[in-house]
Amino acid sequence: MLSVVNTDGSTPNGSLIDEIVREGARRMLAAALEAEVNTYIAELAEERDEGGRRLVVRNGSHQPRKVTTSAGSIEVKAPRVNDKRVDESTGERKRFSSAILPPWCRKSPKISEVLPLLYLHGLSTGDFVPALEQFLGSSAGLSPATVARLTAQRQADHTAFQDRDLSSTDYVWADGVHLRIRLEEAKAAVLVLMGVRADGTKELIAMSDGYRESSEAWAGLLRDCARRGMRAPVLAVGDGALGFWNALSEVFPTTRHQRCWVHKTANCLDALPKPAQPAAKRAIQDIYNAHAARAVAAFAKQYGAKYPKVVKRITDDEDELLAFFAYPAEHWIHLPTTNPIESTLATARLRTKVTKGAGSRAAALAMVFKLIESTQTRWRAVNAPHLVALVRAGAHFERGHLVERFDGQSPPAAA
């Protein structure tokens, strides 16, 4: 098919390269539909009536229709099949239905998938049709009603997520994010729990809204997790918000606490004059890098006389700051901070700055859920995932090394 090409490489239907891509996609789709029909007819070639005539034959083509694909909008003329066979159980005629291009299909699944992502990344639903029309060459199959229906699917996904069964989790990270979205309270936060599966991969466990990250809000979230089958985590990592720790002690009293070193460091440095901050930061880093409480004593000796309140912030939480040393050394890179969950929530903060509001409470929570879910495939699994089962089984580690198996036996000596 020949097209008039302008001096700038454009054609009446857009750029030449786009037209070539669309024409190639149209031909490939037509060839695939022809092959599908030919295979269907060939497999049923032995099906014949009493007169010896085939029951399944080719019967021309359907009316042309436009289908929106990732290559743009292309016109399709699907082959038609005349299937005269009768289903013995229902008495109805059998029909051929293309698996490649069902009768109802007006857009590829990829287009349906990209619409919610456009919303998540800052485009309002009213902008979808004109924006995609510039790329796809047509707005066919992209009516406002279609866009609204596809984006509303995230609320149904969030509801299903809230009701799913929860398995045991060894480690959890907890954090709350304050967003400029319409929740039930003016100072509400979205409370988020991330955990580690038995295979070492991370997953979003639960999320809900709660007023100012209060103990009651966190307790409600944790009780719901327990109701859905989650056992007490071995270790929980969070910042200094008392609401979470009080709720954790109430719902899962056996779970050990690990305070976030990033938050603790910032908290300490904020109380020091700027000239003293670089040296103090190195001294604090020595504490969790030295793998021993001796570094805490050295920090207290160096800064105790002049900055006793800063030292107290470390010594009062010493056990909770050094809790991660009781677990496999391979896991230490993941456990001292809430960075795994903080980086994920940064995406939600960025998106809500764009939207300036997300409608109802359900829409707001569903939006945050979809944002977090969209990043979940990129979450890094914990190192040495085979050790996760040992941690859950109660294996004993000293300075990161296994010294006693969960069955009470010592590990075999190295060869």
Side-chain angles (χ1 to χ4, degrees):
M1 182 170 60
L2 298 177
S3 298
V4 178
V5 183
N6 301 322
T7 55
D8 60 356
S10 63
T11 69
N13 296 322
S15 70
L16 178 60
I17 188 171
D18 289 336
E19 188 171 339
I20 291 173
V21 170
R22 282 194 292 270
E23 177 62 15
R26 186 193 66 78
R27 293 185 182 184
M28 290 178 66
L29 180 57
L33 292 172
E34 286 285 349
E36 184 185 34
V37 165
N38 291 338
T39 300
Y40 182 80
I41 294 174
E43 290 177 349
L44 300 171
E46 301 303 320
E47 298 279 346
R48 298 176 182 269
D49 61 15
E50 296 177 353
R53 293 183 293 270
R54 289 188 177 186
L55 293 175
V56 183
V57 294
R58 174 74 181 269
N59 187 24
S61 301
H62 291 283
Q63 290 295 319
R65 56 173 156 151
K66 286 191 174 182
V67 179
T68 303
T69 72
S70 55
S73 180
I74 59 178
E75 188 172 86
V76 179
K77 196 173 184 180
R80 186 162 52 189
V81 175
N82 185 10
D83 194 336
K84 300 178 182 179
R85 297 175 302 152
V86 177
D87 190 324
E88 296 180 357
S89 59
T90 63
E92 297 180 355
R93 285 273 298 272
K94 294 185 177 181
R95 294 181 180 275
F96 166 76
S97 180
S98 173
I100 299 173
L101 189 68
W104 46 263
C105 183
R106 293 295 184 274
K107 58 184 174 297
S108 74
K110 279 293 182 184
I111 299 300
S112 298
E113 292 172 9
V114 80
L115 294 180
L117 293 178
L118 290 177
Y119 178 78
L120 295 176
H121 290 288
L123 207 63
S124 65
T125 53
D127 296 330
F128 284 0
V129 174
L132 287 174
E133 190 173 7
Q134 294 295 318
F135 288 97
L136 304 177
S138 170
S139 60
L142 296 175
S143 67
T146 300
V147 171
R149 185 177 65 254
L150 291 169
T151 53
Q153 180 61 39
R154 68 182 183 272
Q155 293 192 33
D157 294 341
H158 179 229
T159 300
F161 166 79
Q162 289 179 304
D163 294 333
R164 84 195 197 287
D165 182 60
L166 295 177
S167 58
S168 62
T169 303
D170 291 324
Y171 307 127
V172 297
W173 292 266
D175 200 8
V177 56
H178 294 263
L179 306 171
R180 296 178 181 178
I181 55 180
R182 300 172 190 175
L183 297 173
E184 291 182 344
E185 300 282 354
K187 295 184 179 180
V190 178
L191 312 180
V192 183
L193 279 182
M194 175 194 291
V196 175
R197 299 189 187 104
D199 62 359
T201 56
K202 299 189 183 82
E203 68 171 339
L204 176 64
I205 299 175
M207 57 171 288
S208 181
D209 57 329
Y211 182 66
R212 286 188 172 182
E213 300 188 58
S214 65
S215 297
E216 292 79 6
W218 275 114
L221 180 63
L222 293 173
R223 278 193 292 265
D224 183 63
C225 291
R227 177 186 60 81
R228 290 189 285 145
M230 191 176 88
R231 292 188 294 172
V234 174
L235 181 72
V237 186
D239 61 23
L242 295 178
F244 171 69
W245 300 115
N246 292 338
L248 184 68
S249 298
E250 175 189 339
V251 181
F252 295 122
T254 61
T255 298
R256 195 165 183 179
H257 300 186
Q258 170 63 51
R259 291 292 180 89
C260 173
W261 272 103
V262 171
H263 286 85
K264 179 61 71 173
T265 300
N267 183 260
C268 290
L269 296 182
D270 285 345
L272 291 171
K274 284 190 176 181
Q277 289 182 7
K281 184 177 181 180
R282 289 192 296 270
I284 292 173
Q285 290 174 337
D286 287 342
I287 296 174
Y288 60 84
N289 288 332
H291 309 163
R294 291 192 301 271
V296 176
F299 179 81
K301 182 178 180 180
Q302 183 176 357
Y303 293 94
K306 197 170 184 179
Y307 307 108
K309 291 183 179 180
V310 173
V311 171
K312 195 172 187 298
R313 293 180 183 183
I314 296 289
T315 56
D316 283 358
D317 296 330
E318 180 177 344
D319 290 341
E320 294 181 346
L321 287 168
L322 302 179
F324 72 99
F325 290 134
Y327 299 95
E330 292 85 348
H331 297 173
W332 287 353
I333 191 174
H334 309 280
L335 301 180
T337 74
T338 56
N339 284 350
I341 197 170
E342 286 279 354
S343 58
T344 297
L345 295 183
T347 303
R349 291 189 182 95
L350 178 63
R351 167 60 189 151
T352 52
K353 285 182 181 179
V354 175
T355 58
K356 305 296 183 183
S360 67
R361 168 185 177 273
L365 290 174
M367 182 184 71
V368 176
F369 163 69
K370 272 298 183 183
L371 281 165
I372 296 176
E373 186 187 51
S374 68
T375 67
Q376 188 164 305
T377 57
R378 301 192 297 272
W379 291 353
R380 174 185 173 186
V382 298
N383 295 342
H386 64 281
L387 295 176
V388 173
L390 289 178
V391 172
R392 166 54 65 182
H396 182 61
F397 293 83
E398 286 187 4
R399 298 182 62 81
H401 300 288
L402 180 65
V403 296
E404 183 180 334
R405 288 209 297 254
F406 59 91
D407 57 5
Q409 300 176 1
S410 298

